[in-house]
PDB file of all heavy atoms in Angstrom:
ATOM      1  N   GLU A 264      36.593  29.843 -34.591  1.00  0.00           N
ATOM      2  CA  GLU A 264      37.454  29.455 -35.702  1.00  0.00           C
ATOM      3  C   GLU A 264      37.849  27.976 -35.568  1.00  0.00           C
ATOM      4  O   GLU A 264      37.688  27.354 -34.518  1.00  0.00           O
ATOM      5  CB  GLU A 264      38.705  30.335 -35.714  1.00  0.00           C
ATOM      6  CG  GLU A 264      38.429  31.829 -35.872  1.00  0.00           C
ATOM      7  CD  GLU A 264      37.797  32.173 -37.216  1.00  0.00           C
ATOM      8  OE1 GLU A 264      37.965  31.390 -38.179  1.00  0.00           O
ATOM      9  OE2 GLU A 264      37.127  33.216 -37.295  1.00  0.00           O
ATOM     10  N   ALA A 265      38.413  27.436 -36.645  1.00  0.00           N
ATOM     11  CA  ALA A 265      38.739  26.005 -36.685  1.00  0.00           C
ATOM     12  C   ALA A 265      39.879  25.616 -35.758  1.00  0.00           C
ATOM     13  O   ALA A 265      40.115  24.421 -35.541  1.00  0.00           O
ATOM     14  CB  ALA A 265      39.086  25.605 -38.123  1.00  0.00           C
ATOM     15  N   ASP A 266      40.587  26.595 -35.182  1.00  0.00           N
ATOM     16  CA  ASP A 266      41.733  26.246 -34.344  1.00  0.00           C
ATOM     17  C   ASP A 266      41.371  25.942 -32.892  1.00  0.00           C
ATOM     18  O   ASP A 266      42.257  25.656 -32.087  1.00  0.00           O
ATOM     19  CB  ASP A 266      42.788  27.354 -34.401  1.00  0.00           C
ATOM     20  CG  ASP A 266      42.274  28.714 -33.923  1.00  0.00           C
ATOM     21  OD1 ASP A 266      41.072  28.828 -33.639  1.00  0.00           O
ATOM     22  OD2 ASP A 266      43.091  29.651 -33.840  1.00  0.00           O
ATOM     23  N   VAL A 267      40.075  25.967 -32.533  1.00  0.00           N
ATOM     24  CA  VAL A 267      39.696  25.570 -31.175  1.00  0.00           C
ATOM     25  C   VAL A 267      39.689  24.045 -31.087  1.00  0.00           C
ATOM     26  O   VAL A 267      39.770  23.350 -32.095  1.00  0.00           O
ATOM     27  CB  VAL A 267      38.310  26.152 -30.785  1.00  0.00           C
ATOM     28  CG1 VAL A 267      38.331  27.669 -30.862  1.00  0.00           C
ATOM     29  CG2 VAL A 267      37.193  25.593 -31.660  1.00  0.00           C
ATOM     30  N   ASP A 268      39.600  23.526 -29.862  1.00  0.00           N
ATOM     31  CA  ASP A 268      39.702  22.078 -29.694  1.00  0.00           C
ATOM     32  C   ASP A 268      38.536  21.315 -30.307  1.00  0.00           C
ATOM     33  O   ASP A 268      38.709  20.195 -30.797  1.00  0.00           O
ATOM     34  CB  ASP A 268      39.808  21.735 -28.206  1.00  0.00           C
ATOM     35  CG  ASP A 268      41.121  22.214 -27.613  1.00  0.00           C
ATOM     36  OD1 ASP A 268      42.144  22.177 -28.315  1.00  0.00           O
ATOM     37  OD2 ASP A 268      41.123  22.640 -26.438  1.00  0.00           O
ATOM     38  N   ALA A 269      37.337  21.897 -30.261  1.00  0.00           N
ATOM     39  CA  ALA A 269      36.168  21.213 -30.833  1.00  0.00           C
ATOM     40  C   ALA A 269      35.007  22.191 -30.941  1.00  0.00           C
ATOM     41  O   ALA A 269      34.938  23.183 -30.213  1.00  0.00           O
ATOM     42  CB  ALA A 269      35.753  20.029 -29.958  1.00  0.00           C
ATOM     43  N   THR A 270      34.113  21.908 -31.879  1.00  0.00           N
ATOM     44  CA  THR A 270      32.824  22.591 -31.969  1.00  0.00           C
ATOM     45  C   THR A 270      31.773  21.525 -31.722  1.00  0.00           C
ATOM     46  O   THR A 270      31.728  20.514 -32.434  1.00  0.00           O
ATOM     47  CB  THR A 270      32.612  23.247 -33.345  1.00  0.00           C
ATOM     48  OG1 THR A 270      33.566  24.303 -33.505  1.00  0.00           O
ATOM     49  CG2 THR A 270      31.212  23.817 -33.452  1.00  0.00           C
ATOM     50  N   VAL A 271      30.953  21.741 -30.710  1.00  0.00           N
ATOM     51  CA  VAL A 271      30.046  20.694 -30.241  1.00  0.00           C
ATOM     52  C   VAL A 271      28.596  21.160 -30.296  1.00  0.00           C
ATOM     53  O   VAL A 271      28.260  22.260 -29.848  1.00  0.00           O
ATOM     54  CB  VAL A 271      30.409  20.285 -28.793  1.00  0.00           C
ATOM     55  CG1 VAL A 271      29.377  19.317 -28.238  1.00  0.00           C
ATOM     56  CG2 VAL A 271      31.794  19.664 -28.760  1.00  0.00           C
ATOM     57  N   VAL A 272      27.757  20.322 -30.865  1.00  0.00           N
ATOM     58  CA  VAL A 272      26.305  20.517 -30.816  1.00  0.00           C
ATOM     59  C   VAL A 272      25.768  19.433 -29.896  1.00  0.00           C
ATOM     60  O   VAL A 272      25.824  18.242 -30.224  1.00  0.00           O
ATOM     61  CB  VAL A 272      25.665  20.406 -32.212  1.00  0.00           C
ATOM     62  CG1 VAL A 272      24.146  20.509 -32.109  1.00  0.00           C
ATOM     63  CG2 VAL A 272      26.211  21.489 -33.135  1.00  0.00           C
ATOM     64  N   TYR A 273      25.283  19.839 -28.739  1.00  0.00           N
ATOM     65  CA  TYR A 273      24.829  18.847 -27.770  1.00  0.00           C
ATOM     66  C   TYR A 273      23.664  18.048 -28.350  1.00  0.00           C
ATOM     67  O   TYR A 273      22.748  18.602 -28.946  1.00  0.00           O
ATOM     68  CB  TYR A 273      24.404  19.515 -26.465  1.00  0.00           C
ATOM     69  CG  TYR A 273      24.222  18.518 -25.347  1.00  0.00           C
ATOM     70  CD1 TYR A 273      25.324  18.042 -24.643  1.00  0.00           C
ATOM     71  CD2 TYR A 273      22.966  18.011 -25.040  1.00  0.00           C
ATOM     72  CE1 TYR A 273      25.174  17.095 -23.634  1.00  0.00           C
ATOM     73  CE2 TYR A 273      22.818  17.063 -24.041  1.00  0.00           C
ATOM     74  CZ  TYR A 273      23.916  16.613 -23.342  1.00  0.00           C
ATOM     75  OH  TYR A 273      23.765  15.674 -22.358  1.00  0.00           O
ATOM     76  N   GLY A 274      23.708  16.749 -28.180  1.00  0.00           N
ATOM     77  CA  GLY A 274      22.709  15.869 -28.771  1.00  0.00           C
ATOM     78  C   GLY A 274      23.165  15.306 -30.096  1.00  0.00           C
ATOM     79  O   GLY A 274      22.526  14.427 -30.663  1.00  0.00           O
ATOM     80  N   VAL A 275      24.290  15.816 -30.602  1.00  0.00           N
ATOM     81  CA  VAL A 275      24.827  15.348 -31.880  1.00  0.00           C
ATOM     82  C   VAL A 275      26.223  14.746 -31.701  1.00  0.00           C
ATOM     83  O   VAL A 275      26.451  13.579 -31.991  1.00  0.00           O
ATOM     84  CB  VAL A 275      24.869  16.491 -32.918  1.00  0.00           C
ATOM     85  CG1 VAL A 275      25.498  16.005 -34.232  1.00  0.00           C
ATOM     86  CG2 VAL A 275      23.472  17.037 -33.164  1.00  0.00           C
ATOM     87  N   ASN A 276      27.166  15.550 -31.203  1.00  0.00           N
ATOM     88  CA  ASN A 276      28.548  15.063 -31.133  1.00  0.00           C
ATOM     89  C   ASN A 276      29.240  15.387 -29.816  1.00  0.00           C
ATOM     90  O   ASN A 276      30.458  15.539 -29.774  1.00  0.00           O
ATOM     91  CB  ASN A 276      29.354  15.639 -32.306  1.00  0.00           C
ATOM     92  CG  ASN A 276      29.578  17.143 -32.171  1.00  0.00           C
ATOM     93  OD1 ASN A 276      28.748  17.849 -31.604  1.00  0.00           O
ATOM     94  ND2 ASN A 276      30.690  17.621 -32.701  1.00  0.00           N
ATOM     95  N   GLN A 277      28.478  15.511 -28.734  1.00  0.00           N
ATOM     96  CA  GLN A 277      29.114  15.834 -27.452  1.00  0.00           C
ATOM     97  C   GLN A 277      30.096  14.761 -26.988  1.00  0.00           C
ATOM     98  O   GLN A 277      30.972  15.032 -26.169  1.00  0.00           O
ATOM     99  CB  GLN A 277      28.067  16.098 -26.358  1.00  0.00           C
ATOM    100  CG  GLN A 277      27.312  14.875 -25.881  1.00  0.00           C
ATOM    101  CD  GLN A 277      26.082  14.583 -26.710  1.00  0.00           C
ATOM    102  OE1 GLN A 277      25.944  15.101 -27.804  1.00  0.00           O
ATOM    103  NE2 GLN A 277      25.181  13.772 -26.171  1.00  0.00           N
ATOM    104  N   ALA A 278      29.971  13.564 -27.527  1.00  0.00           N
ATOM    105  CA  ALA A 278      30.901  12.501 -27.157  1.00  0.00           C
ATOM    106  C   ALA A 278      32.316  12.792 -27.643  1.00  0.00           C
ATOM    107  O   ALA A 278      33.276  12.150 -27.202  1.00  0.00           O
ATOM    108  CB  ALA A 278      30.417  11.166 -27.728  1.00  0.00           C
ATOM    109  N   ALA A 279      32.440  13.771 -28.531  1.00  0.00           N
ATOM    110  CA  ALA A 279      33.762  14.121 -29.053  1.00  0.00           C
ATOM    111  C   ALA A 279      34.588  14.904 -28.042  1.00  0.00           C
ATOM    112  O   ALA A 279      35.805  15.046 -28.205  1.00  0.00           O
ATOM    113  CB  ALA A 279      33.618  14.947 -30.329  1.00  0.00           C
ATOM    114  N   ILE A 280      33.972  15.402 -26.989  1.00  0.00           N
ATOM    115  CA  ILE A 280      34.710  16.175 -25.990  1.00  0.00           C
ATOM    116  C   ILE A 280      35.630  15.249 -25.200  1.00  0.00           C
ATOM    117  O   ILE A 280      35.199  14.216 -24.688  1.00  0.00           O
ATOM    118  CB  ILE A 280      33.744  16.901 -25.034  1.00  0.00           C
ATOM    119  CG1 ILE A 280      32.850  17.870 -25.815  1.00  0.00           C
ATOM    120  CG2 ILE A 280      34.522  17.659 -23.961  1.00  0.00           C
ATOM    121  CD1 ILE A 280      31.824  18.567 -24.957  1.00  0.00           C
ATOM    122  N   ALA A 281      36.896  15.641 -25.105  1.00  0.00           N
ATOM    123  CA  ALA A 281      37.886  14.864 -24.354  1.00  0.00           C
ATOM    124  C   ALA A 281      38.349  15.668 -23.143  1.00  0.00           C
ATOM    125  O   ALA A 281      38.300  16.896 -23.147  1.00  0.00           O
ATOM    126  CB  ALA A 281      39.074  14.537 -25.259  1.00  0.00           C
ATOM    127  N   PRO A 282      38.806  14.981 -22.092  1.00  0.00           N
ATOM    128  CA  PRO A 282      39.211  15.674 -20.864  1.00  0.00           C
ATOM    129  C   PRO A 282      40.306  16.711 -21.059  1.00  0.00           C
ATOM    130  O   PRO A 282      40.386  17.677 -20.294  1.00  0.00           O
ATOM    131  CB  PRO A 282      39.694  14.521 -19.972  1.00  0.00           C
ATOM    132  CG  PRO A 282      38.973  13.320 -20.472  1.00  0.00           C
ATOM    133  CD  PRO A 282      38.866  13.517 -21.947  1.00  0.00           C
ATOM    134  N   ASP A 283      41.159  16.531 -22.072  1.00  0.00           N
ATOM    135  CA  ASP A 283      42.265  17.467 -22.254  1.00  0.00           C
ATOM    136  C   ASP A 283      41.882  18.690 -23.083  1.00  0.00           C
ATOM    137  O   ASP A 283      42.707  19.586 -23.291  1.00  0.00           O
ATOM    138  CB  ASP A 283      43.456  16.761 -22.903  1.00  0.00           C
ATOM    139  CG  ASP A 283      43.111  16.201 -24.284  1.00  0.00           C
ATOM    140  OD1 ASP A 283      41.927  16.042 -24.595  1.00  0.00           O
ATOM    141  OD2 ASP A 283      44.057  15.917 -25.052  1.00  0.00           O
ATOM    142  N   MET A 284      40.652  18.766 -23.561  1.00  0.00           N
ATOM    143  CA  MET A 284      40.210  19.920 -24.335  1.00  0.00           C
ATOM    144  C   MET A 284      39.954  21.098 -23.407  1.00  0.00           C
ATOM    145  O   MET A 284      39.291  20.964 -22.388  1.00  0.00           O
ATOM    146  CB  MET A 284      38.938  19.592 -25.121  1.00  0.00           C
ATOM    147  CG  MET A 284      39.152  18.608 -26.238  1.00  0.00           C
ATOM    148  SD  MET A 284      37.623  18.304 -27.170  1.00  0.00           S
ATOM    149  CE  MET A 284      38.215  17.218 -28.444  1.00  0.00           C
ATOM    150  N   ARG A 285      40.467  22.268 -23.785  1.00  0.00           N
ATOM    151  CA  ARG A 285      40.325  23.444 -22.932  1.00  0.00           C
ATOM    152  C   ARG A 285      39.544  24.568 -23.600  1.00  0.00           C
ATOM    153  O   ARG A 285      39.073  25.478 -22.919  1.00  0.00           O
ATOM    154  CB  ARG A 285      41.708  23.956 -22.522  1.00  0.00           C
ATOM    155  CG  ARG A 285      42.544  22.932 -21.757  1.00  0.00           C
ATOM    156  CD  ARG A 285      43.838  23.539 -21.279  1.00  0.00           C
ATOM    157  NE  ARG A 285      43.593  24.548 -20.258  1.00  0.00           N
ATOM    158  CZ  ARG A 285      44.498  25.463 -19.899  1.00  0.00           C
ATOM    159  NH1 ARG A 285      45.669  25.505 -20.513  1.00  0.00           N
ATOM    160  NH2 ARG A 285      44.219  26.339 -18.947  1.00  0.00           N
ATOM    161  N   ILE A 286      39.413  24.540 -24.929  1.00  0.00           N
ATOM    162  CA  ILE A 286      38.711  25.608 -25.645  1.00  0.00           C
ATOM    163  C   ILE A 286      37.726  24.966 -26.602  1.00  0.00           C
ATOM    164  O   ILE A 286      38.112  24.322 -27.584  1.00  0.00           O
ATOM    165  CB  ILE A 286      39.695  26.497 -26.425  1.00  0.00           C
ATOM    166  CG1 ILE A 286      40.744  27.102 -25.471  1.00  0.00           C
ATOM    167  CG2 ILE A 286      38.947  27.597 -27.158  1.00  0.00           C
ATOM    168  CD1 ILE A 286      41.866  27.829 -26.185  1.00  0.00           C
ATOM    169  N   VAL A 287      36.433  25.128 -26.323  1.00  0.00           N
ATOM    170  CA  VAL A 287      35.382  24.468 -27.096  1.00  0.00           C
ATOM    171  C   VAL A 287      34.324  25.502 -27.486  1.00  0.00           C
ATOM    172  O   VAL A 287      34.050  26.445 -26.741  1.00  0.00           O
ATOM    173  CB  VAL A 287      34.736  23.327 -26.279  1.00  0.00           C
ATOM    174  CG1 VAL A 287      33.538  22.724 -27.000  1.00  0.00           C
ATOM    175  CG2 VAL A 287      35.767  22.246 -25.982  1.00  0.00           C
ATOM    176  N   SER A 288      33.724  25.303 -28.653  1.00  0.00           N
ATOM    177  CA  SER A 288      32.634  26.161 -29.111  1.00  0.00           C
ATOM    178  C   SER A 288      31.327  25.388 -29.099  1.00  0.00           C
ATOM    179  O   SER A 288      31.287  24.199 -29.415  1.00  0.00           O
ATOM    180  CB  SER A 288      32.901  26.657 -30.540  1.00  0.00           C
ATOM    181  OG  SER A 288      31.739  27.229 -31.106  1.00  0.00           O
ATOM    182  N   ALA A 289      30.239  26.081 -28.723  1.00  0.00           N
ATOM    183  CA  ALA A 289      28.911  25.469 -28.728  1.00  0.00           C
ATOM    184  C   ALA A 289      28.186  25.700 -30.050  1.00  0.00           C
ATOM    185  O   ALA A 289      26.970  25.528 -30.128  1.00  0.00           O
ATOM    186  CB  ALA A 289      28.074  26.026 -27.575  1.00  0.00           C
ATOM    187  N   ALA A 290      28.916  26.103 -31.088  1.00  0.00           N
ATOM    188  CA  ALA A 290      28.359  26.316 -32.430  1.00  0.00           C
ATOM    189  C   ALA A 290      27.376  27.484 -32.435  1.00  0.00           C
ATOM    190  O   ALA A 290      27.351  28.298 -31.515  1.00  0.00           O
ATOM    191  CB  ALA A 290      27.708  25.040 -32.959  1.00  0.00           C
ATOM    192  N   SER A 291      26.563  27.569 -33.478  1.00  0.00           N
ATOM    193  CA  SER A 291      25.605  28.666 -33.613  1.00  0.00           C
ATOM    194  C   SER A 291      24.197  28.174 -33.321  1.00  0.00           C
ATOM    195  O   SER A 291      23.938  26.965 -33.300  1.00  0.00           O
ATOM    196  CB  SER A 291      25.648  29.231 -35.039  1.00  0.00           C
ATOM    197  OG  SER A 291      25.113  28.267 -35.951  1.00  0.00           O
ATOM    198  N   ARG A 292      23.275  29.103 -33.087  1.00  0.00           N
ATOM    199  CA  ARG A 292      21.898  28.698 -32.819  1.00  0.00           C
ATOM    200  C   ARG A 292      21.302  27.971 -34.020  1.00  0.00           C
ATOM    201  O   ARG A 292      20.514  27.036 -33.863  1.00  0.00           O
ATOM    202  CB  ARG A 292      21.048  29.924 -32.459  1.00  0.00           C
ATOM    203  CG  ARG A 292      20.959  30.980 -33.544  1.00  0.00           C
ATOM    204  CD  ARG A 292      20.023  32.123 -33.136  1.00  0.00           C
ATOM    205  NE  ARG A 292      19.958  33.144 -34.167  1.00  0.00           N
ATOM    206  CZ  ARG A 292      20.621  34.298 -34.102  1.00  0.00           C
ATOM    207  NH1 ARG A 292      21.387  34.561 -33.062  1.00  0.00           N
ATOM    208  NH2 ARG A 292      20.526  35.196 -35.066  1.00  0.00           N
ATOM    209  N   THR A 293      21.697  28.390 -35.228  1.00  0.00           N
ATOM    210  CA  THR A 293      21.177  27.733 -36.431  1.00  0.00           C
ATOM    211  C   THR A 293      21.696  26.301 -36.519  1.00  0.00           C
ATOM    212  O   THR A 293      20.941  25.366 -36.806  1.00  0.00           O
ATOM    213  CB  THR A 293      21.587  28.521 -37.687  1.00  0.00           C
ATOM    214  OG1 THR A 293      21.114  29.865 -37.568  1.00  0.00           O
ATOM    215  CG2 THR A 293      20.994  27.884 -38.938  1.00  0.00           C
ATOM    216  N   ALA A 294      22.991  26.125 -36.250  1.00  0.00           N
ATOM    217  CA  ALA A 294      23.559  24.776 -36.291  1.00  0.00           C
ATOM    218  C   ALA A 294      22.902  23.884 -35.253  1.00  0.00           C
ATOM    219  O   ALA A 294      22.580  22.724 -35.517  1.00  0.00           O
ATOM    220  CB  ALA A 294      25.063  24.843 -36.052  1.00  0.00           C
ATOM    221  N   ARG A 295      22.693  24.416 -34.048  1.00  0.00           N
ATOM    222  CA  ARG A 295      22.077  23.608 -32.993  1.00  0.00           C
ATOM    223  C   ARG A 295      20.652  23.211 -33.366  1.00  0.00           C
ATOM    224  O   ARG A 295      20.178  22.127 -33.010  1.00  0.00           O
ATOM    225  CB  ARG A 295      22.089  24.377 -31.669  1.00  0.00           C
ATOM    226  CG  ARG A 295      23.486  24.552 -31.104  1.00  0.00           C
ATOM    227  CD  ARG A 295      23.439  25.074 -29.686  1.00  0.00           C
ATOM    228  NE  ARG A 295      22.960  26.444 -29.599  1.00  0.00           N
ATOM    229  CZ  ARG A 295      23.731  27.515 -29.625  1.00  0.00           C
ATOM    230  NH1 ARG A 295      25.039  27.384 -29.780  1.00  0.00           N
ATOM    231  NH2 ARG A 295      23.227  28.719 -29.516  1.00  0.00           N
ATOM    232  N   THR A 296      19.959  24.102 -34.078  1.00  0.00           N
ATOM    233  CA  THR A 296      18.578  23.812 -34.473  1.00  0.00           C
ATOM    234  C   THR A 296      18.514  22.771 -35.579  1.00  0.00           C
ATOM    235  O   THR A 296      17.770  21.797 -35.503  1.00  0.00           O
ATOM    236  CB  THR A 296      17.884  25.102 -34.958  1.00  0.00           C
ATOM    237  OG1 THR A 296      17.887  26.065 -33.902  1.00  0.00           O
ATOM    238  CG2 THR A 296      16.450  24.813 -35.368  1.00  0.00           C
ATOM    239  N   ILE A 297      19.309  22.949 -36.617  1.00  0.00           N
ATOM    240  CA  ILE A 297      19.216  22.103 -37.807  1.00  0.00           C
ATOM    241  C   ILE A 297      19.910  20.750 -37.627  1.00  0.00           C
ATOM    242  O   ILE A 297      19.376  19.705 -37.993  1.00  0.00           O
ATOM    243  CB  ILE A 297      19.805  22.840 -39.023  1.00  0.00           C
ATOM    244  CG1 ILE A 297      18.935  24.068 -39.346  1.00  0.00           C
ATOM    245  CG2 ILE A 297      19.892  21.906 -40.228  1.00  0.00           C
ATOM    246  CD1 ILE A 297      19.482  24.925 -40.461  1.00  0.00           C
ATOM    247  N   LEU A 298      21.099  20.745 -37.025  1.00  0.00           N
ATOM    248  CA  LEU A 298      21.876  19.513 -36.959  1.00  0.00           C
ATOM    249  C   LEU A 298      21.293  18.479 -36.015  1.00  0.00           C
ATOM    250  O   LEU A 298      21.562  17.286 -36.154  1.00  0.00           O
ATOM    251  CB  LEU A 298      23.317  19.831 -36.538  1.00  0.00           C
ATOM    252  CG  LEU A 298      24.128  20.635 -37.553  1.00  0.00           C
ATOM    253  CD1 LEU A 298      25.532  20.882 -37.027  1.00  0.00           C
ATOM    254  CD2 LEU A 298      24.172  19.932 -38.903  1.00  0.00           C
ATOM    255  N   SER A 299      20.491  18.908 -35.062  1.00  0.00           N
ATOM    256  CA  SER A 299      19.930  17.936 -34.125  1.00  0.00           C
ATOM    257  C   SER A 299      18.839  17.084 -34.770  1.00  0.00           C
ATOM    258  O   SER A 299      18.593  15.955 -34.338  1.00  0.00           O
ATOM    259  CB  SER A 299      19.347  18.652 -32.905  1.00  0.00           C
ATOM    260  OG  SER A 299      18.310  19.528 -33.301  1.00  0.00           O
ATOM    261  N   TYR A 300      18.228  17.575 -35.849  1.00  0.00           N
ATOM    262  CA  TYR A 300      17.124  16.815 -36.456  1.00  0.00           C
ATOM    263  C   TYR A 300      17.550  15.470 -37.035  1.00  0.00           C
ATOM    264  O   TYR A 300      16.919  14.446 -36.750  1.00  0.00           O
ATOM    265  CB  TYR A 300      16.409  17.633 -37.528  1.00  0.00           C
ATOM    266  CG  TYR A 300      15.465  16.791 -38.335  1.00  0.00           C
ATOM    267  CD1 TYR A 300      14.327  16.240 -37.732  1.00  0.00           C
ATOM    268  CD2 TYR A 300      15.721  16.479 -39.664  1.00  0.00           C
ATOM    269  CE1 TYR A 300      13.471  15.421 -38.443  1.00  0.00           C
ATOM    270  CE2 TYR A 300      14.880  15.661 -40.384  1.00  0.00           C
ATOM    271  CZ  TYR A 300      13.753  15.129 -39.769  1.00  0.00           C
ATOM    272  OH  TYR A 300      12.921  14.316 -40.478  1.00  0.00           O
ATOM    273  N   PRO A 301      18.630  15.414 -37.849  1.00  0.00           N
ATOM    274  CA  PRO A 301      19.001  14.094 -38.394  1.00  0.00           C
ATOM    275  C   PRO A 301      19.280  13.062 -37.302  1.00  0.00           C
ATOM    276  O   PRO A 301      19.010  11.872 -37.480  1.00  0.00           O
ATOM    277  CB  PRO A 301      20.267  14.402 -39.204  1.00  0.00           C
ATOM    278  CG  PRO A 301      20.141  15.838 -39.559  1.00  0.00           C
ATOM    279  CD  PRO A 301      19.495  16.484 -38.365  1.00  0.00           C
ATOM    280  N   VAL A 302      19.807  13.521 -36.167  1.00  0.00           N
ATOM    281  CA  VAL A 302      20.129  12.589 -35.089  1.00  0.00           C
ATOM    282  C   VAL A 302      18.868  12.122 -34.375  1.00  0.00           C
ATOM    283  O   VAL A 302      18.740  10.964 -33.974  1.00  0.00           O
ATOM    284  CB  VAL A 302      21.090  13.269 -34.091  1.00  0.00           C
ATOM    285  CG1 VAL A 302      21.364  12.353 -32.904  1.00  0.00           C
ATOM    286  CG2 VAL A 302      22.392  13.632 -34.795  1.00  0.00           C
ATOM    287  N   GLN A 303      17.895  13.034 -34.237  1.00  0.00           N
ATOM    288  CA  GLN A 303      16.700  12.723 -33.456  1.00  0.00           C
ATOM    289  C   GLN A 303      15.506  12.306 -34.312  1.00  0.00           C
ATOM    290  O   GLN A 303      14.421  12.055 -33.780  1.00  0.00           O
ATOM    291  CB  GLN A 303      16.289  13.978 -32.640  1.00  0.00           C
ATOM    292  CG  GLN A 303      17.373  14.509 -31.729  1.00  0.00           C
ATOM    293  CD  GLN A 303      17.738  13.547 -30.619  1.00  0.00           C
ATOM    294  OE1 GLN A 303      16.926  12.704 -30.237  1.00  0.00           O
ATOM    295  NE2 GLN A 303      18.958  13.650 -30.112  1.00  0.00           N
ATOM    296  N   ARG A 304      15.681  12.184 -35.624  1.00  0.00           N
ATOM    297  CA  ARG A 304      14.538  11.964 -36.510  1.00  0.00           C
ATOM    298  C   ARG A 304      13.773  10.675 -36.205  1.00  0.00           C
ATOM    299  O   ARG A 304      12.563  10.594 -36.435  1.00  0.00           O
ATOM    300  CB  ARG A 304      14.980  11.972 -37.971  1.00  0.00           C
ATOM    301  CG  ARG A 304      15.898  10.820 -38.375  1.00  0.00           C
ATOM    302  CD  ARG A 304      16.382  10.994 -39.816  1.00  0.00           C
ATOM    303  NE  ARG A 304      17.202   9.873 -40.265  1.00  0.00           N
ATOM    304  CZ  ARG A 304      18.481   9.724 -39.988  1.00  0.00           C
ATOM    305  NH1 ARG A 304      19.089  10.638 -39.247  1.00  0.00           N
ATOM    306  NH2 ARG A 304      19.154   8.690 -40.444  1.00  0.00           N
ATOM    307  N   HIS A 305      14.477   9.670 -35.675  1.00  0.00           N
ATOM    308  CA  HIS A 305      13.798   8.413 -35.387  1.00  0.00           C
ATOM    309  C   HIS A 305      12.799   8.551 -34.243  1.00  0.00           C
ATOM    310  O   HIS A 305      11.939   7.685 -34.050  1.00  0.00           O
ATOM    311  CB  HIS A 305      14.826   7.334 -35.061  1.00  0.00           C
ATOM    312  CG  HIS A 305      15.612   7.613 -33.823  1.00  0.00           C
ATOM    313  ND1 HIS A 305      16.641   8.531 -33.802  1.00  0.00           N
ATOM    314  CD2 HIS A 305      15.519   7.096 -32.575  1.00  0.00           C
ATOM    315  CE1 HIS A 305      17.149   8.565 -32.579  1.00  0.00           C
ATOM    316  NE2 HIS A 305      16.499   7.713 -31.819  1.00  0.00           N
ATOM    317  N   ARG A 306      12.896   9.647 -33.489  1.00  0.00           N
ATOM    318  CA  ARG A 306      11.978   9.867 -32.380  1.00  0.00           C
ATOM    319  C   ARG A 306      10.785  10.727 -32.775  1.00  0.00           C
ATOM    320  O   ARG A 306       9.867  10.929 -31.980  1.00  0.00           O
ATOM    321  CB  ARG A 306      12.708  10.564 -31.225  1.00  0.00           C
ATOM    322  CG  ARG A 306      13.898   9.794 -30.684  1.00  0.00           C
ATOM    323  CD  ARG A 306      14.548  10.564 -29.556  1.00  0.00           C
ATOM    324  NE  ARG A 306      15.718   9.860 -29.044  1.00  0.00           N
ATOM    325  CZ  ARG A 306      16.503  10.339 -28.091  1.00  0.00           C
ATOM    326  NH1 ARG A 306      16.235  11.510 -27.552  1.00  0.00           N
ATOM    327  NH2 ARG A 306      17.547   9.645 -27.682  1.00  0.00           N
TER     328      ARG A 306
END
């Protein structure tokens, strides 16, 4: 749910993680698959 500290897709927004965050979500498999493409498209 939106009340956790962050939802992170590694390779996209992992820099958003801060040391004081204690509850984080790794998102869904679909999000991890689709969202990484715009970031990595130049490769």
Side-chain angles (χ1 to χ4, degrees):
E264 300 296 337
D266 60 355
V267 301
D268 292 325
T270 294
V271 173
V272 176
Y273 193 81
V275 177
N276 69 329
Q277 71 272 16
I280 300 177
D283 61 341
M284 291 182 177
R285 301 185 68 197
I286 302 172
V287 174
S288 167
S291 69
R292 61 176 179 258
T293 303
R295 291 191 291 269
T296 300
I297 295 176
L298 293 180
S299 61
Y300 169 67
V302 176
Q303 303 295 336
R304 66 185 183 279
H305 64 283
R306 301 180 182 177

